[in-house]
Structure formats: C-alpha cells, structure tokens
Amino acid sequence: MTSPPVPLDRALYRELVRRALAEDLGWGDATTEGTIEEHQRGVGRLLAKQDCVIAGLDVAEETFLQLDPASTMVRHHDDGAWCPAGTLVAEVTGRARALLTAERTALNYLQRMSGIATVTRRYVEAAAGSSLTILDTRKTTPTLRVLEKYAVRAGGGTNHRFALDDGILIKDNHIALAGGVAVALQRMRDAGLDMSIEVEVRTLEELDVALGAGATRILADNMDLATLAEAVRRARGRAQIEVSGGVTLDRIPAIAATGADFVSVGALTHSAPAVDLSFKIAPAP
C-alpha cells in the first residue's frame, strides 16, 4: 500500500489552473449560460472508468473553487489510491454552472496526472522485491513539471533532479565539450559546489575512468544487460549505478536482477496515456 504523497503547495498550481480556465472559457461558456439557470446547484460524481492510480485531486478541486469559491469536494479516495474501474473517487457540490464550466479543465488535469501515476505504479511493482528505485526525468510537459513529478510520487516513484540547479549530472555532451570524463569531473569539483555529482558513461572503459576519478554515482546509458551487470560488479562498494536509455516495463525485472541502484524512465512523464475518468452532474438535492 503506497502512502499518499505530500500535498503540493496551492501556490504552485493556482496560476496554472487560472490560465487553463481562461484558455477554455474565453468570453464565456455560451452553452451553459444559455441552458442552466444561474441559481441552480448541482453535484458532480467523479468516476474511474478504468483501473488506475488517482492523482491530481487538489488541482481538480482548485478548478471548481476558482469558479465557485463555495463549492465543496468530498473525497472517497486520496491521491495515490488504486481505483478499479467503476470506483466513485470524489463528489463535488456547488453552482451547476461552475461545475459544468470547470469540468473539462478538471478532468484534463486529473486524467493526465492519473495516467502518469498509473504507469509509475506498474514500474514500481515490476521492481518489487529488489533494491531498484524507479526515477523520473526532466522529460516533462513545459510548465507542468511540478504536477507531473507530483504524479510520479503519487504512483510510488521517486523524483530525480527537479531542475538544472538542484543536481549535477555530467552527460555525454558535457563530456564531449570538456574533453573527457576525467576532465569534466575535475572541473566540476573545482567549481566547489556543495552538490552531489553524477556522471554518464556508455562503456566499461568510461566507467573505469569515472571510478578512477572518484565518481560516486554513475549513469550507465544504453548498456546491454551483460555490460550493465559487469558495470555494477566493478562499481560495487565504490559508486551507485543508475540505468537509463531504452528502458521499458518488461525490462525492469532483468535490470533489477543486475543489482543496479536506480533506473530513470522518461516514459513515466513523456508517454503516459491519460486514464479514462468521467464527471457526471445531477441537480443537487
């Protein structure tokens, strides 16, 4: 059972929601304003139409609150919960016009975030029983990283660095421009930043250079399983090994069997399909 993730600060998504509503609303909701009386109240039932891990309820609630500050959401499940198809996830009560106008924006956030959480849960379960940690990457939708990385946590995954300023990762292009693994590592140490340093390698030869230069975390990129297993053996007791490149769900058990410490999976955020959720509104009693 995965614990609910620590909630996001509302300030991190309030403006995102405001802009999303403005994009959808334009000069007004012509259909709703023409068919629904202003005073009418409604209750909307959020339902899972497929098995999923739910994520994004705070963000969805914010969409309704911005159009009707008096609206209320009753949650029957929290973010991170496994919701089989047919599950009643939450109910929202408020002005019917606000529920109708906010519906699509709320679902867009929920379906995207729940899709990420659901895919992440599958990867975490595939690594169960091993010491392999499932990480995300910076391959996120521009401006939505805070929400997408939250969804990874809701699925039981772990966030890699959030941005370029909160972790050092020396990659192939840095190495090519610097003139080699050892040079890049030394320059990074000379910079004197109080941050952990990770370096990418593609061959066992580069791995040996990185280990010789004192690297304590190494990103093994696009290595086949036999090479990866040897890299883990050589690094044991000297450096942690993170795996990246060509990682698919079916490969996770074999990667875990090599003894690697981490695997970073861009697909968690760049390829997760949205889950199918519905929001059915009825007159409030």
Side-chain angles (χ1 to χ4, degrees), residues 68-119:
D68 178 7
S71 65
T72 58
M73 175 183 280
V74 175
R75 304 182 190 196
H76 300 288
H77 297 276
D78 294 321
D79 281 355
W82 177 254
C83 295
T87 297
L88 174 61
V89 178
E91 295 174 282
V92 184
T93 303
R95 290 191 298 107
R97 284 187 176 186
L99 297 184
L100 283 163
T101 300
E103 172 187 359
R104 176 43 51 199
T105 298
L107 284 175
N108 284 347
Y109 280 121
L110 275 169
Q111 290 177 311
R112 171 68 178 151
M113 295 174 69
S114 298
I116 291 170
T118 302
V119 169

Side-chain angles (χ1 to χ4, degrees), residues 89-159:
V89 178
E91 295 174 282
V92 184
T93 303
R95 290 191 298 107
R97 284 187 176 186
L99 297 184
L100 283 163
T101 300
E103 172 187 359
R104 176 43 51 199
T105 298
L107 284 175
N108 284 347
Y109 280 121
L110 275 169
Q111 290 177 311
R112 171 68 178 151
M113 295 174 69
S114 298
I116 291 170
T118 302
V119 169
T120 301
R121 180 68 54 82
R122 295 193 183 109
Y123 274 83
V124 170
E125 289 176 348
S130 74
S131 60
L132 187 67
T133 296
I134 305 297
L135 302 174
D136 58 18
T137 70
R138 286 170 39 248
K139 296 176 183 177
T140 54
T141 308
T143 75
L144 297 184
R145 182 173 294 171
V146 66
L147 303 185
E148 293 179 351
K149 281 184 171 280
Y150 168 86
V152 168
R153 298 195 300 277
T158 300
N159 295 150

